[in-house]
């Protein structure tokens, strides 16, 4: 049973016994506030031979404070129990995200996700980049890039460095078509259209990166 309800019932019985002992009629009003701190207040007005009498019972936080004042020569009664204050449990703060290095210095996209995936970390990126850079044949380099870029995600900064490995603008655009869906922050790669001297290829890249 709710502690407020128990206290109210017990207090009601007490006040009722007082009024019955005096052969008085009882008129009881109960107010309950159960928002931030459970509380209840009982106001009792009785009428007897000597006029109006009163009793007040206060209940708060699971404890009871009872002040009974009765006119007509009866003794004032006080009944107190310890009051329990409700303290909300402290919320644990979420752990701060640890620093993440993508091997490109201060990279805003390093902690950004796309399709739930983070971009390559520093170790993965260095291996990926060195593998492409060490390949002398641009056609073979394009094939390598295509296979890898379908499995990994990269930041705009990493993406820009990959594009710079392909001097041929047609090949560069083909690599971009494969890589763009895996760039976690494509909005930061809009300016890379300047990597194409051919305005048609540059425009095609812009359309690709803004899709």
């Amino acid at each position: 049973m709710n502690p407020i309800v128990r206290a109210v019932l017990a207090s009601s019985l007490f006040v009722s016994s007082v009024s019955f002992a005096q052969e008085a009629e009882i008129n009881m009003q109960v107010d309950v506030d159960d928002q931030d701190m459970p509380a209840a207040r009982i106001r009792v007005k009785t009428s007897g031979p000597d006029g109006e009498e009163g009793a007040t019972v206060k209940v708060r936080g699971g404890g009871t404070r009872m002040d009974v004042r009765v006119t007509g020569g009866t003794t004032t009664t006080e009944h107190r129990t310890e009051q329990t204050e409700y303290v909300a449990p402290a919320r644990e703060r979420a752990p701060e995200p640890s620093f993440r290095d993508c091997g490109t210095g201060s990279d805003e996209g390093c902690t950004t996700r796309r399709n739930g995936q983070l971009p390559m970390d520093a170790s993965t990126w260095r291996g990926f980049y060195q593998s492409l850079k060490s390949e002398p044949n641009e056609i073979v380099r394009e094939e390598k890039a295509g296979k890898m870029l379908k499995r990994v995600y990269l930041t705009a900064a990493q993406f820009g460095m990959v594009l710079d490995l392909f001097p041929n603008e047609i090949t560069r655009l083909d690599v971009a078509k494969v890589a763009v869906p895996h760039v976690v922050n494509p909005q930061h790669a809009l300016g890379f259209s300047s990597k194409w001297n051919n305005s048609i290829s540059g425009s095609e890249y812009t359309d690709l990166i803004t899709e």
Side-chain angles (χ1 to χ4, degrees):
M1 182 183 293
N2 187 296
I4 291 295
V5 176
R6 285 201 303 267
V8 168
L9 290 176
S11 304
S12 302
L13 291 174
F14 177 83
V15 175
S16 298
S17 63
V18 173
S19 59
F20 286 143
Q22 297 176 355
E23 297 181 356
E25 295 181 358
I26 180 170
N27 178 17
M28 180 179 295
Q29 177 185 349
V30 180
D31 298 326
V32 177
D33 178 8
D34 195 12
Q35 296 177 353
D36 296 332
M37 176 66 70
R41 181 192 299 268
I42 303 173
R43 298 183 184 89
V44 180
K45 290 183 179 181
T46 63
S47 58
D50 297 326
E52 188 178 89
E53 303 171 351
T56 301
V57 178
K58 297 179 182 179
V59 181
R60 181 177 177 82
T64 304
R65 174 176 177 172
M66 182 180 296
D67 299 312
V68 181
R69 295 182 179 85
V70 182
T71 60
T74 59
T75 304
T76 298
T77 302
E78 292 188 359
H79 173 70
R80 300 173 186 266
T81 59
E82 292 185 359
Q83 182 172 315
T84 304
E85 295 291 339
Y86 172 77
V87 179
R91 294 184 179 180
E92 294 184 2
R93 295 181 59 186
E96 296 293 333
S98 58
F99 174 75
R100 197 167 186 275
D101 181 12
C102 287
T104 51
S106 180
D107 193 339
E108 295 180 27
C110 197
T111 56
T112 304
R113 294 178 183 268
R114 184 167 183 178
N115 300 326
Q117 301 296 320
L118 285 167
M120 290 179 281
D121 59 21
S123 297
T124 306
W125 162 249
R126 292 189 188 104
F128 170 84
Y129 184 75
Q130 189 59 41
S131 176
L132 295 181
K133 189 177 181 179
S134 62
E135 177 54 58
N137 188 304
E138 189 170 1
I139 296 176
V140 177
R141 191 184 310 135
E142 179 191 1
E143 292 176 354
K144 273 188 176 182
K147 291 178 181 178
M148 295 179 181
L149 290 170
K150 289 178 181 178
R151 298 194 300 266
V152 297
Y153 284 74
L154 64 168
T155 69
Q158 293 171 338
F159 175 48
M161 294 175 67
V162 169
L163 293 180
D164 290 340
L165 293 175
F166 298 91
N168 185 290
E169 292 196 353
I170 296 176
T171 304
R172 186 185 306 142
L173 186 60
D174 289 339
V175 172
K177 290 177 181 178
V178 177
V180 162
H182 280 199
V183 178
V184 296
N185 54 336
Q187 69 277 11
H188 292 173
L190 286 171
F192 294 166
S193 59
S194 62
K195 294 180 181 291
W196 281 266
N197 294 321
N198 186 307
S199 60
I200 295 176
S201 296
S203 178
E204 188 174 349
Y205 169 79
T206 301
D207 293 340
L208 183 69
I209 199 70
T210 54
E211 286 182 355

